[in-house]
Amino acid sequence: MKIICVGRNYAAHAKELNNSVEEEPVIFLKPDTALLNNNQDFYLPDFSNDIHYETEVVVKINKAGKHIDEKFAHRYYDSISLGIDFTARDLQSMLKAKGLPWERAKAFDGSAVIGSFLPLADIGMISDLSFSMNLNGQQVQSANTSEMVFSVDKVIAFVSRFITLKTGDLIYTGTPQGVGKVNVGDNLVGFLGDKELFNFKVK
Ligand code: ZN
């Protein structure tokens, strides 16, 4: 499986990092070795002093597709979760300044936290899902998928023009504003609506 991530998909977050909102989705990939599931501890890597959390709604692809039309995109997923796109912000800033790819800052081991999945049918419409994340008991991110610049279906249509989607692939749909640094001992708890989907510690 592969992990496809969307960057700058919430205007307020693009603004907080002084990025422009693009006319097409910004996408990047993480390898399967980035996955961190079952509320395992996240270990801060030694190559960064500024690891940021990015809380994101995650869609699991349930059948293979290429050149998927936006109006049929909803047929390609039926379960949803919440994850963290951990980002080595210091490394990413250095790579961006040099015009280099982001992989070292985005694709490292444990950088794709994934919560438990819920059937979409049980939680509502993909275009109207509230989600939030509490850091040490304080809510630091809160948004609704209606605020996305590019909807899930638009992202699927766009990505599948370039990359064949396969069963089990995950799409991280971008983070809203409120990203920030994690430190040893932190506890991150993610909610989709009022359902807790992940709860893990930083070591
Ligand atoms: Zn992200």
Side-chain angles (χ1 to χ4, degrees), residues 139-168:
Q139 187 178 88
V140 288
Q141 290 195 284
S142 173
N144 187 286
T145 53
S146 62
E147 298 162 41
M148 286 182 181
V149 177
F150 301 102
S151 69
V152 168
D153 291 354
K154 276 202 165 70
V155 167
I156 287 174
F158 180 79
V159 169
S160 69
R161 282 168 55 198
F162 304 92
I163 302 170
T164 298
L165 296 176
K166 293 171 78 173
T167 302

Side-chain angles (χ1 to χ4, degrees), residues 114-136:
I114 188 71
S116 38
F117 280 87
L118 297 172
L120 182 58
D122 292 356
I123 51 172
M125 294 203 342
I126 188 69
S127 57
D128 184 19
L129 298 176
S130 293
F131 61 103
S132 62
M133 198 273 280
N134 288 359
L135 177 69
N136 303 326

Side-chain angles (χ1 to χ4, degrees), residues 100-118:
L100 293 172
W102 297 355
E103 271 81 358
R104 278 163 57 201
K106 284 286 197 181
F108 54 88
D109 289 358
S111 64
V113 174
I114 188 71
S116 38
F117 280 87
L118 297 172

